[in-house]
C-alpha cells in the first residue's frame, strides 16, 4: 500500500507468531483476501454477528511471514483477513455476500491501486460446505456479469496474523486510512461494479 510507514519493520509479538487454524469453539472462522486488509477489516467489523477480525496472510508457503516479505513477493501469500463469527447470528453465505461487494472480482493479481499477487482476491474455505458455498457464489457472480471472475478459491491451510501495527488500522489511524482509501479509488471502483450494493455489510 502506498503509505511509507506501512513498510516500517515491527516485531511480531509472541501471540501473533503462530498460525491460526480452525477450531471447535462456539464461533466459526472464515478467511478472505480482497486487497488491502485494512479495508477488509473495516467491511467485516460492520457485520452483525462478527466477533473479531484479524489482518494477516494466507495462501502461501512461508511460515510466519512479515508484511515486508509478503509485499516484496516470493512467499505466495495474499493479504487476508480472518473473520471470527457467531454462526447463530450470521452465516458463511452472508459473509460471502459481503466479500463480493467489497472486491473487484475481475482484477487479476491486484485490487484497486495495490498491485501484485499479494493483493489478489481469494477465498480460503475451511471445510467442504464453505467450499461449496464459495464456488456457488463465484459462479453466481460470473453469471451476473457474464464474464470470467479472477478470484481464486484455495483450501485453507494456515493464517498468519500481521504485525500489531496493522490490526484495526482503520480505527486507530482514521485520517491516514481515509486518505489511503480515497487515493486508492476503492469506493469509486466498487460503485462502478456493484452500484448501490457496493461496500455492503449485509444482504439487501
Amino acid at each position: 500500500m502506498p503509505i511509507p510507514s506501512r513498510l516500517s519493520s515491527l516485531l511480531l509479538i509472541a501471540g501473533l507468531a503462530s498460525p491460526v487454524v480452525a477450531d471447535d469453539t462456539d464461533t466459526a472462522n472464515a478467511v478472505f483476501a480482497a486487497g488491502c486488509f485494512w479495508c477488509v477489516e473495516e467491511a467485516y467489523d460492520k457485520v452483525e454477528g462478527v466477533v473479531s477480525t484479524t489482518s494477516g496472510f494466507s495462501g502461501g508457503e512461508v511460515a510466519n511471514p512479515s508484511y515486508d516479505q509478503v509485499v516484496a513477493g516470493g512467499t505466495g501469500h495474499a493479504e487476508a483477513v480472518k473473520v471470527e463469527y457467531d454462526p447463530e447470528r450470521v452465516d458463511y453465505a452472508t459473509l460471502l455476500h459481503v466479500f463480493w461487494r467489497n472486491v473487484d472480482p475481475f482484477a487479476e493479481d491486484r485490487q484497486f491501486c495495490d498491485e501484485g499477487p499479494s493483493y489478489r482476491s481469494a477465498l480460503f474455505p475451511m471445510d467442504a460446505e464453505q467450499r461449496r458455498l464459495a464456488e456457488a457464489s463465484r459462479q453466481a457472480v460470473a453469471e451476473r456479469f457474464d464474464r470470467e471472475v479472477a478470484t481464486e478459491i484455495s483450501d485453507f491451510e494456515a493464517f498468519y496474523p500481521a504485525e500489531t501495527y496493522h490490526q484495526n488500522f482503520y480505527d486507530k489511524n482514521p485520517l491516514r486510512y481515509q486518505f489511503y482509501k480515497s487515493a486508492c479509488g476503492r469506493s469509486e471502483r466498487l460503485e462502478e461494479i456493484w452500484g448501490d450494493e457496493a461496500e455492503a455489510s449485509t444482504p439487501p
Side-chain angles (χ1 to χ4, degrees):
M1 299 170 195
I3 296 182
S5 58
R6 262 205 97 188
L7 301 177
S8 300
S9 297
L10 297 171
L11 295 175
L12 288 171
I13 62 173
L16 294 180
S18 301
V20 176
V21 296
D23 55 34
D24 296 323
T25 63
D26 292 336
T27 59
N29 292 319
V31 175
F32 305 98
C36 167
F37 46 31
W38 300 342
C39 300
V40 183
E41 272 201 2
E42 181 194 24
Y44 279 107
D45 280 343
K46 297 176 182 177
V47 179
E48 184 176 354
V50 167
V51 176
S52 68
T53 57
T54 305
S55 287
F57 315 106
S58 196
E61 303 82 33
V62 177
N64 299 318
S66 69
Y67 168 76
D68 288 348
Q69 286 178 300
V70 172
V71 298
T75 67
H77 286 294
E79 284 199 16
V81 168
K82 180 180 74 74
V83 177
E84 182 183 3
Y85 64 100
D86 180 353
E88 297 294 323
R89 300 171 61 200
V90 63
D91 57 17
Y92 186 67
T94 296
L95 299 181
L96 286 169
H97 177 92
V98 174
F99 168 81
W100 290 113
R101 285 146 187 83
N102 284 275
V103 72
D104 179 347
F106 313 115
E108 186 174 354
D109 285 342
R110 64 173 295 149
Q111 282 294 302
F112 315 106
C113 68
D114 295 315
E115 300 182 7
S118 63
Y119 293 107
R120 69 190 184 274
S121 63
L123 296 167
F124 298 103
M126 292 186 165
D127 55 36
E129 179 63 6
Q130 283 194 359
R131 173 168 275 278
R132 183 187 70 79
L133 292 169
E135 291 179 345
S137 70
R138 183 172 64 178
Q139 182 62 30
V141 172
E143 292 176 356
R144 170 172 172 167
F145 293 99
D146 192 25
R147 59 183 295 190
E148 186 175 351
V149 171
T151 302
E152 70 176 49
I153 299 177
S154 300
D155 287 340
F156 173 79
E157 293 186 1
F159 175 88
Y160 299 98
E163 292 89 340
T164 305
Y165 175 78
H166 294 296
Q167 307 303 330
N168 301 309
F169 185 91
Y170 78 93
D171 188 46
K172 295 185 295 186
N173 300 275
L175 293 179
R176 291 174 60 197
Y177 171 71
Q178 289 301 329
F179 175 80
Y180 157 75
K181 186 175 179 181
S182 176
C184 204
R186 187 181 186 99
S187 296
E188 290 80 2
R189 176 58 177 156
L190 289 174
E191 286 185 18
E192 183 181 347
I193 299 169
W194 297 102
D196 292 342
E197 299 175 39
E199 301 188 83
S201 57
T202 57

